[in-house]
Amino acid sequence: MSRILIVEDEPNISSFLEKGLRANGFTPTVVADGESALAHAVGLGFDLVVLDIGLPRGDGFAVLRAMRQARVDTPVVILTARDTTRDTLTGLEGGADDYMTKPFEFAELLARIRLRLRDRERVGELTTLQLGDLALDLRTRQARVDGRTVDLTAREFVLLEMFLRHPGQVLSREQILSQVWGYDFDPGSNIVDVYVRALRRKLGAECITTVRGMGYRLP
């Protein structure tokens, strides 16, 4: 039974989440402030964290940063009323695995939680993905290329992991949006192209090939 940490200071929402997750076979624990959230996330080994941003005693962004600095790789789904692009990117770049805004449909949140837990299970005991001189450490979330270590943002890590799990396969923008950002539609932005360019800057211009009209491929 997966253990879910709910970090939410609105009692009505936390109670709704707790009951819904328990009814679907999870073991939820609720905390209502940043300090308690960090203590639980770092010390008690949860399988996933549902994290609000607007919290007393340390906001969610600070909790997330502290978790990742402590090398806690527990999946984090941010659930917040903040819906600006800047807030979304801050959460994802800070190490969140997914981002949902309130009001929300519980069924969608449940699907995203299950997806992130399945992703974690698929990693299993595998700790490194490698293709030629390019390697990705799944524990430290760092890449190595040509003997040098490369630090990645959370979303760059997930994107590179997807490419390394499908070497030689052309991945469409729609596939990437679905797997990396959780979108089941194209929001009309160039976010995939932006992140591919970022990986090329860090890993080398030839590391990812553009297949015109189709998508991207590694190598």
Side-chain angles (χ1 to χ4, degrees), residues 71 140-143 149-153 156 202:
R71 300 294 187 188
T140 66
R141 296 186 169 225
Q142 290 179 320
T149 299
V150 179
D151 290 321
L152 302 172
T153 67
E156 289 167 354
K202 291 185 175 183

Side-chain angles (χ1 to χ4, degrees), residues 62-188:
V63 172
L64 182 58
R65 285 194 302 271
M67 285 177 60
R68 298 315 187 212
Q69 288 169 0
R71 300 294 187 188
V72 176
D73 63 356
T74 305
V76 173
V77 177
I78 289 178
L79 182 63
T80 179
R82 300 187 190 182
D83 60 356
T84 67
T85 300
R86 181 176 180 180
D87 284 324
T88 303
L89 290 176
T90 298
L92 294 175
E93 297 294 353
D97 297 88
D98 212 335
Y99 195 106
M100 286 188 66
T101 56
K102 303 172 185 175
F104 63 97
E105 293 288 339
F106 181 76
E108 181 182 357
L109 175 62
L110 185 62
R112 294 194 185 204
I113 288 173
R114 286 172 169 160
L115 174 64
R116 299 308 167 193
L117 290 172
R118 284 199 302 270
D119 288 345
R120 188 173 177 85
E121 289 170 0
R122 280 197 294 265
V123 171
E125 295 301 316
L126 185 65
T127 59
T128 303
L129 299 174
Q130 187 159 359
L131 183 65
D133 293 330
L134 175 62
L136 181 65
D137 191 316
L138 300 177
R139 296 166 302 180
T140 66
R141 296 186 169 225
Q142 290 179 320
R144 288 190 62 80
V145 60
D146 297 329
R148 60 185 176 88
T149 299
V150 179
D151 290 321
L152 302 172
T153 67
R155 208 50 41 177
E156 289 167 354
F157 167 82
V158 176
L159 180 57
L160 181 57
E161 180 184 4
M162 184 179 182
F163 278 121
L164 282 167
R165 290 188 183 276
H166 301 86
Q169 178 180 334
V170 178
L171 301 176
S172 69
R173 287 177 175 80
E174 290 76 16
Q175 287 176 301
I176 295 171
L177 282 167
S178 175
Q179 293 297 312
V180 178
W181 280 271
Y183 297 149
D184 56 4
F185 64 96
D186 186 343

